[in-house]
Amino acid sequence: MTDSWATPAGPEDGPGRGTEPEPVGGAGPGTAFGADLHLELRGSGLRAGLMDALREAVRTGRLTPGTRLPSSRSLAADLGIARNTVADAYAELVAEGWLTARQGSGTRVARRAAPRRPAPPAPRTPRIGRRPVHNLLPGFPDLAAFPRAQWLTAARRALTSAPSEAFGYSDARGRIELRTVLADYLARARGVYADPERIVICSGFAHGLMLMATVLLARRVRTTAVESYGLDVHWKILTRAGMRMSVLALDEHGARTEELADAKGAGAVLMTPAHQFPTGAALHPDRRAAAVDWARGTGGLILEDDYDGEFRYDRQPVGALQGLDPERVVYFGTASKSLTPGLRLGWMVLPQELVGEVMAAKGEVDWVSSALDQLTLAEFIASGAYDRHVRSMRLRYRKRRDQLVAALADRDPAFGVTGIAAGLHAVVELPPGTERSVVEAAAWQGLALNGRADFRHPSAQPDGDALVVGYGAPTDSAWAGALDALCRVLP
């Protein structure tokens, strides 16, 4: 087998041993001239093998109609065969109709009918409902509100000032520019003790949790406590890593952290103390202290998911739990709610003793997070644009939550909204036995909606019927329609 990557070439002999002058104005659209061409030659005859390889590339659509091929001289040099062999192969394929050769245009793939490809499988038809028109799922920000112009400005400044080494392999902890501004921001806005040397950049909370699961297993931790309601994707990460789970009950004051004393063998606890997901409770100060006391007394770790801590509407946001004991709490934050999940940027603030272990789990080089995106986010935060964006979105989401509460009160005062005024979702209590029917009715109306039961851990006890209504995702123009659709499906 011979592999070839064709290289750019100037005007020279073509398949008929004439000339192939460079076309005026360049190679034109739909061309691969000057680009690499990969061919695999098989069989005993070089010319026959080359012809078969080219036919197969055209037949499968890898070489599309109109694509310009390398000159005979360039391809022959690449393949290490005689130029006449390539010229003869080109000439025969022209005669067969696979290729065309014209003065001034070089040798190109003939413009024949597009190759037939297998038809894609028919999409599965959902059992109920139709394609959602409105997205009221929790955890989604308003993607249309992403500050494109300000981000572009930050990207230009970051690229202009970036050192050349930023375009190489970066420190596995992440760019020092981002870790430095994050340390300042998190201390100022979330009360986190965040020395840059303790910060590790990751591609989101799930990635960070995977790294911590690896570290915990290396420490012989086999059980992690979790809240009785949360995201199954996080539980699956722990389960796939080989972890067992001990479930903490929830009430209006958050997780019942006193139950940690009975969580036999638990070496860590995963929590959302600032705004429990999805129930919306804030962890009571006494329970925050109890969690830290448990960690200190047992040598355990608290994994704090501060997924939307910046968005508190009824008061100043409560500081992160990490501030109570930076050596026993692993703090996780991301840009997924404040900016967009598409950035795939998150951060971990680690106890000093864990930094090396997390680095070992992550690897010697940062193979996940784009250095250029990190530099842009660093500039975005340092310039004040991040603070301005968060304040703007805080006002927008607060208005939507207020409108949701008012619309439900007009519909029926019995539909109470529970949990603190924070984040991108609210919990709407329902009459007993109605949750599943409301969710199914919403699907029929093209409304993407979750019930509270969708987030219950399999071993947890049910906690009454309710909806978890996300008000972050709809655009401003779609929000009123989404709210009306929600009110129509309520019992």
Side-chain angles (χ1 to χ4, degrees):
M1 179 180 74
T2 301
D3 289 349
S4 166
W5 289 265
T7 55
E12 55 182 86
D13 291 357
R17 296 181 178 82
T19 59
E20 296 179 2
E22 184 72 28
V24 176
T31 179
F33 182 70
D36 292 339
L37 172 61
H38 174 72
L39 294 174
E40 295 182 359
L41 275 59
R42 295 183 174 88
S44 57
L46 291 178
R47 187 180 67 176
L50 175 57
M51 292 173 63
D52 287 343
L54 287 168
R55 289 192 194 99
E56 183 66 14
V58 175
R59 185 181 297 112
T60 59
R62 198 161 61 81
L63 288 178
T64 57
T67 297
R68 186 176 182 187
L69 301 181
S71 68
S72 58
R73 179 183 296 128
S74 174
L75 188 55
D78 229 26
L79 293 172
I81 62 178
R83 179 182 176 192
N84 286 349
T85 301
V86 178
D88 289 343
Y90 275 3
E92 289 197 36
L93 291 174
V94 169
E96 292 177 7
W98 292 94
L99 306 178
T100 63
R102 292 188 178 89
Q103 183 74 13
S105 186
T107 303
R108 296 178 180 269
V109 177
R111 297 191 177 277
R112 308 168 60 199
R116 296 184 63 183
R117 293 181 174 87
R124 294 180 60 187
T125 303
R127 290 184 300 161
I128 61 170
R130 56 190 176 91
R131 183 176 179 180
V133 177
H134 299 293
N135 179 8
L136 291 182
L137 300 176
F140 289 87
D142 184 350
L143 301 181
F146 180 77
R148 301 187 190 203
Q150 294 86 345
W151 186 261
L152 181 59
T153 298
R156 285 172 174 161
R157 289 176 178 168
L159 283 172
T160 299
S161 60
S164 297
E165 55 89 13
F167 301 98
Y169 294 106
S170 295
D171 186 330
R173 290 171 297 180
R175 293 297 307 178
I176 184 61
E177 296 90 341
L178 178 56
R179 291 187 284 121
T180 299
V181 297
L182 277 174
D184 175 71
Y185 173 79
L186 293 173
R188 169 171 54 83
R190 301 297 300 127
V192 172
Y193 176 78
D195 185 278
E197 299 304 309
R198 292 176 176 234
I199 297 177
V200 173
I201 305 302
C202 51
S203 64
F205 176 77
H207 180 215
L209 186 59
M210 290 178 190
L211 295 175
M212 277 309 307
T214 301
V215 170
L216 290 171
L217 287 172
R219 288 180 159 225
R220 302 186 182 278
V221 173
R222 295 296 181 268
T223 301
T224 299
V226 298
E227 296 166 325
S228 57
Y229 282 77
L231 286 174
D232 62 351
V233 65
H234 298 161
W235 302 328
K236 289 176 181 177
I237 288 172
L238 296 173
T239 300
R240 289 168 183 164
M243 290 280 181
R244 296 183 295 271
M245 277 173 280
S246 178
V247 177
L248 303 179
L250 293 165
D251 59 23
E252 67 274 16
H253 299 301
R256 299 184 63 89
T257 53
E258 67 272 17
E259 296 180 0
L260 285 169
D262 299 322
K264 299 188 183 303
V269 56
L270 174 60
M271 304 178 68
T272 50
H275 186 216
Q276 203 286 322
F277 184 87
T279 66
L283 190 63
H284 191 277
D286 291 344
R287 295 185 180 180
R288 288 157 79 72
V292 172
D293 288 344
W294 167 84
R296 288 172 176 169
T298 64
L301 291 168
I302 300 171
L303 311 182
E304 179 180 12
D305 180 7
D306 194 31
Y307 67 100
D308 66 358
E310 291 114 333
F311 297 112
R312 183 77 184 258
Y313 313 128
D314 58 345
R315 52 174 290 181
Q316 187 74 13
V318 174
L321 182 62
Q322 190 261 10
L324 294 179
D325 194 335
E327 300 304 328
R328 303 285 5 131
V329 181
V330 178
Y331 176 90
F332 297 83
T334 79
S336 296
K337 306 297 184 293
S338 56
L339 285 169
T340 172
L343 284 178
R344 307 311 308 141
L345 280 175
W347 41 90
M348 308 165 65
V349 184
L350 301 167
Q352 186 62 51
E353 66 176 5
L354 288 184
V355 175
E357 296 171 55
V358 171
M359 286 298 88
K362 193 178 186 190
E364 294 181 356
V365 296
D366 190 350
W367 54 269
V368 174
S369 304
S370 162
L372 299 183
D373 286 341
Q374 292 182 54
L375 291 171
T376 301
L377 180 57
E379 171 63 30
F380 194 74
I381 295 173
S383 69
Y386 185 81
D387 282 276
R388 290 190 293 273
H389 177 72
V390 167
R391 286 196 296 270
S392 173
M393 297 311 295
R394 189 182 292 138
L395 292 173
R396 180 176 301 191
Y397 294 143
R398 176 177 182 171
K399 181 179 180 181
R400 291 186 186 182
R401 189 183 190 279
D402 290 345
Q403 290 170 337
L404 170 64
V405 172
L408 293 174
D410 288 343
R411 174 73 170 74
D412 188 338
F415 292 121
V417 174
T418 62
I420 62 174
L424 310 183
H425 73 274
V427 178
V428 179
E429 300 292 337
L430 293 175
T434 62
E435 178 180 316
R436 186 45 45 194
S437 62
V438 171
V439 172
E440 291 179 355
W444 279 112
Q445 296 297 320
L447 186 64
L449 191 63
N450 279 128
R452 182 162 56 191
D454 294 335
F455 304 100
R456 186 175 69 242
H457 192 277
S459 63
Q461 294 297 315
D463 192 26
D465 288 37
L467 300 175
V468 182
V469 180
Y471 46 78
T475 62
D476 284 345
S477 60
W479 168 238
L483 194 52
D484 288 343
L486 172 65
C487 290
R488 286 197 300 270
V489 300
L490 292 174

